Amino acid sequence: MSYTIKDVAKHANVSIATVSRVLNGQSGYSKATEEKVLVAIKELGYQPNAFARGLISRKSNSLGILFPEVSSQFSSKILRGVEEAAHRLDSSVIVCNTASHGQRTIKYLQLLTEKRVDGILFVSETITEEYYKKLESMQIPVVLISTESYQYPLPFVKVDDKHAAFTATDYLVKMGHSKIGMISGNKDDIIAGQPRIDGYKQALTQRGLPIKEENIVQSQGFSFKDGFTGLPKLLEQSPGLTAIFAASDALALGAISSAYKLGIRIPDHLSIIGYDNLPIAEMAIPPLTTVAQPLEEMGMVAAEMLFTMMDQGRRVESRIMPHSVIERESVKEIKFT
Amino acid sequence: MSYTIKDVAKHANVSIATVSRVLNGQSGYSKATEEKVLVAIKELGYQPNAFARGLISRKSNSLGILFPEVSSQFSSKILRGVEEAAHRLDSSVIVCNTASHGQRTIKYLQLLTEKRVDGILFVSETITEEYYKKLESMQIPVVLISTESYQYPLPFVKVDDKHAAFTATDYLVKMGHSKIGMISGNKDDIIAGQPRIDGYKQALTQRGLPIKEENIVQSQGFSFKDGFTGLPKLLEQSPGLTAIFAASDALALGAISSAYKLGIRIPDHLSIIGYDNLPIAEMAIPPLTTVAQPLEEMGMVAAEMLFTMMDQGRRVESRIMPHSVIERESVKEIKFT
DNA sequence: TTGTACGCGTTATCAC
DNA sequence: GTGATAACGCGTACAA
């Protein structure tokens, strides 16, 4: 069994109150007793009990983070940032893999309530009414990452999807392309689907280029596989394309892989720009030009927002994070003569 | 503020003891009172307080897992498995990113002790004396993942690195190669460095092939960058190679990328086999043939080991997990005539 | 079948 | 400066 504050008190010949005081860096004791206590603590190897502390303080110094899929590169990067920020503030992070499953998510929320986490981070998930009610009843800060809610007033941190998609497409135009296709995620995805399509279209419009529906292929999700099957479909619908905007790096890599199989050379025959700037982007052949989201930073910022909400009970403004295109080698400039 | 068991008791007109009993599925109450209590719980939306529970039970229903780098694909996969197993047993997982930093690791261990986690998982780290002492003083189960300790009696789950490296190399031989190089990690890495080199050498020896030191290039770590710089170095030392065993998928991808820049075609000019079977392996161009480690399963198995140690106080046997080569397209068979 | 009361390890409010 | 002691919310031995 481990030692308690009582043991320390006895060992140092003081009261537990005094031990508690030096433990928490309060005032009200002489230098001499402080020394005594510190020695006792060290000698016994005493470790405060977070349960007892939490019972009184009503704080756990931990936060919960929910992902649809923890093991994606996207999630990992965010987790990394969150963990870093949490660590700096002496907090721990509890990870939950919801698998986009309602029941499972609710169960996690339940668990996190019992553990009295100080705050909750929701990544890439749509907030249903059920979730929101549960969150509301928990009475703790919540911050959304890489998603937002139109129905519920939850602060979020994400990039502007439409704007970023605009930037990606516009980059292709600037590089001399005019026949630009898109491999998009699901249109029904209000957050990452439609807005990116809108951004793509707006860039074309603004540049005086026509919008053709056959230049867009929608896929189930944002995965490698989706990109792999998406490219041939798109090229069949619309053979003349010289460049493609893929709505995620995974989609882009899938497309590149597919192109390789088809004997289409990137970027000589076809240019591709991705979205996310995951580590895989620079591992691709050729290295993928892409629109970067500052994922780690987003994680850190979200965690920090959570902490200011916790500590100061303050409402907090949502944050739109900057995106930027990372030029690598998957887009070729077309020169005019 | 949230409701307590006292509130529920009052609401249901019973004592807190009774509430506690139905809460914990014990016996000793009539169907009628059970009903009353359940209703009260539901009406109030009562949530048990894990602090109070933990104070008595001395259990937190959570475990800590330490990674040198949470955001690698390798770590993520393991985390996914651990999380899954933990979820099934109503436990939570607290992630810690040690950054391979001693001080930071110790601090995490400290934190985890205070939170009274039920067990600890250590991933890919060398257990120093300092760590071990700390772990010992914590008096809780520990399981190592993808690493092991020769000095301290800690159970582990990993694949047999030497054997897996042997298998990889042997596969290349079977495919008709005889001039086989290796891009290895650091020789000083007792766990993932030297053993893989040994496995490589043993395969050659056993097949009657000569071992030449110039056919091996060592790198700092197992990263993409290491592979990228390693390949040209290796090819300079030893120009006649027809196949290469890379000690990790990241190394392999780096090498492939480098080969691409050099105009060397994989697998036509050079065959490459990797190690790990991360998701990136199938995204590579060409898709990477590699030796697979069952990472998710390793995570699950390790977590389960932890639980049996916790619940039954039993010692537990280390587990060597099976590896297997995943044939994709980065290795070409050489036919003899 | 049910209720009372003590203890888990801390912090905080009093007195001294 | 220092020390009792009452919470914090729950489980459980014991009594009824």
Side-chain angles (χ1 to χ4, degrees), chain A residues 131-142:
Chain A
Y131 297 172
Y132 186 69
K133 274 191 180 153
K134 190 93 192 114
L135 290 172
E136 236 185 342
S137 76
M138 293 174 72
Q139 312 232 53
I140 57 172
V142 178

Side-chain angles (χ1 to χ4, degrees), chain A residues 102-332:
Chain A
Q103 270 312 303
R104 185 158 170 158
T105 305
I106 291 292
K107 193 182 160 196
Y108 274 123
L109 256 20
Q110 206 91 355
L111 216 68
L112 294 174
T113 336
E114 296 192 9
K115 299 218 162 124
R116 301 296 193 262
V117 292
D118 305 324
I120 287 197
L121 259 19
F122 244 107
V123 183
S124 303
E125 303 250 35
T126 307
I127 305 302
T128 66
E129 187 182 349
E130 192 181 12
Y131 297 172
Y132 186 69
K133 274 191 180 153
K134 190 93 192 114
L135 290 172
E136 236 185 342
S137 76
M138 293 174 72
Q139 312 232 53
I140 57 172
V142 178
V143 174
L144 271 26
I145 303 181
S146 191
T147 183
E148 68 181 297
S149 173
Y150 293 144
Q151 321 194 37
Y152 308 109
L154 263 13
F156 58 84
V157 16
K158 65 190 283 291
V159 311
D160 181 332
D161 285 75
K162 183 179 171 188
H163 191 173
F166 175 96
T167 304
T169 310
D170 198 58
Y171 173 81
L172 294 175
V173 177
K174 272 192 224 145
M175 294 299 275
H177 296 273
S178 56
K179 292 173 185 162
I180 301 173
M182 173 172 184
I183 300 179
S184 84
N186 198 305
K187 216 176 194 159
D188 299 337
D189 182 336
I190 298 276
I191 306 301
Q194 190 60 48
R196 294 184 194 174
I197 297 176
D198 292 344
Y200 158 81
K201 289 182 176 172
Q202 183 167 327
L204 295 183
T205 304
Q206 209 147 312
R207 290 289 195 162
L209 261 20
I211 293 173
K212 300 178 185 167
E213 286 304 328
E214 72 264 27
N215 285 358
I216 305 179
V217 77
Q218 262 188 72
S219 47
Q220 200 67 27
F222 294 86
S223 72
F224 178 83
K225 213 162 247 168
D226 290 326
F228 192 86
T229 56
L231 182 79
K233 215 185 304 174
L234 178 57
L235 257 26
E236 193 181 356
Q237 286 177 25
S238 191
L241 266 20
T242 66
I244 290 177
F245 164 43
S248 80
D249 283 353
L251 281 173
L253 286 235
I256 289 178
S257 210
S258 179
Y260 169 75
K261 285 262 194 293
L262 265 34
I264 300 169
R265 301 184 49 164
I266 313 290
D268 299 327
H269 302 161
L270 185 67
S271 288
I272 296 189
I273 186 169
Y275 188 113
D276 283 337
N277 193 33
L278 301 181
I280 48 167
E282 64 178 329
M283 299 187 181
I285 296 180
L288 185 70
T289 292
T290 189
V291 180
Q293 302 195 61
L295 297 174
E296 276 196 40
E297 199 190 335
M298 285 164 63
M300 294 188 37
V301 166
E304 283 160 7
M305 282 167 62
L306 217 49
F307 285 112
T308 87
M309 289 171 83
M310 290 167 3
D311 296 342
Q312 312 171 17
R314 230 183 355 147
R315 275 198 174 286
V316 108
E317 293 296 318
S318 292
R319 289 277 298 272
I320 298 293
M321 303 294 286
H323 61 268
S324 60
V325 358
I326 308 292
E327 294 191 76
R328 284 195 271 251
E329 301 165 30
S330 63
V331 174
K332 183 180 165 189

Side-chain angles (χ1 to χ4, degrees), chain A residues 2-20 23 37 40-41 44 46-49 52, chain B residues 116:
Chain A
S2 56
Y3 293 105
T4 75
I5 199 175
K6 219 171 182 171
D7 300 315
V8 176
K10 213 168 287 178
H11 200 81
N13 266 320
V14 295
S15 72
I16 60 171
T18 300
V19 177
S20 177
L23 229 40
V37 172
I41 288 177
L44 297 181
Y46 163 76
Q47 304 279 153
N49 183 321
Chain B
R116 301 295 193 263

Side-chain angles (χ1 to χ4, degrees), chain B residues 296-315:
Chain B
E296 276 197 40
E297 200 191 334
M298 285 163 64
M300 294 189 35
V301 166
E304 284 160 9
M305 282 166 63
L306 217 48
F307 285 112
T308 86
M309 289 169 84
M310 291 168 1
D311 296 343
Q312 313 170 18
R314 236 192 338 157
R315 273 197 176 287

Side-chain angles (χ1 to χ4, degrees), chain A residues 61 73 83 92 108 115, chain B residues 61 73 76 83 92 108 115:
Chain A
N61 289 316
Q73 278 200 357
E83 206 282 336
S92 319
Y108 274 123
K115 299 218 162 124
Chain B
N61 288 316
Q73 279 200 357
S76 316
E83 207 280 337
S92 317
Y108 275 122
K115 300 220 161 123

